[in-house]
Amino acid sequence: MGTYRPRDLFPLWIEQTPFPEGYKLPNLVLYEGYGDPQKHIRHFLKQCGEPAQNQALCLKQFPLSLEGIAFDWYCSLDGVVVPSWEAMKNGCEESQCLYRRDSRYL
């Protein structure tokens, strides 16, 4: 099994994009992989504020909003280069392992 290094997922230009001076990471609501991933993405972008206009900053912060099976999905991307925020959003929205209803509330 390979060593998980999130920086391997993104092109170098994304890794080299700095956060704005004085930027503080928002207190992100975590997504466990249950419910609608599109709703989580909309919530994530709203929480990020102005830096959400920069796809590199979205890509760098997005994994921090995932846990449980959602983070497992993200880790499964090991060896895959995610070229853009749009590709990450599409992958998250289309992933079968993420679009689940939480049976705890049925």
Side-chain angles (χ1 to χ4, degrees), residues 10-62:
F10 308 126
L12 187 57
W13 71 269
I14 291 173
E15 290 302 320
Q16 293 177 340
T17 301
F19 284 95
E21 189 173 326
Y23 179 73
K24 293 183 180 183
L25 184 68
N27 188 14
L28 298 170
V29 171
L30 299 179
Y31 178 60
E32 296 182 32
Y34 298 102
D36 186 350
Q38 292 176 343
K39 183 177 177 181
H40 171 68
I41 290 168
R42 287 191 301 273
H43 197 178
F44 167 77
L45 292 173
K46 185 174 181 176
Q47 288 180 299
C48 288
E50 189 173 322
Q53 303 303 313
N54 183 315
Q55 72 168 333
L57 300 183
C58 287
L59 281 167
K60 289 167 80 168
Q61 292 182 101
F62 188 65

Side-chain angles (χ1 to χ4, degrees), residues 37-38 73 87-99:
Q38 292 176 343
W73 164 80
M88 179 65 81
K89 283 191 333 184
N90 290 342
C92 181
E93 291 170 354
E94 294 170 4
S95 175
Q96 291 296 323
C97 71
L98 294 182
Y99 198 65

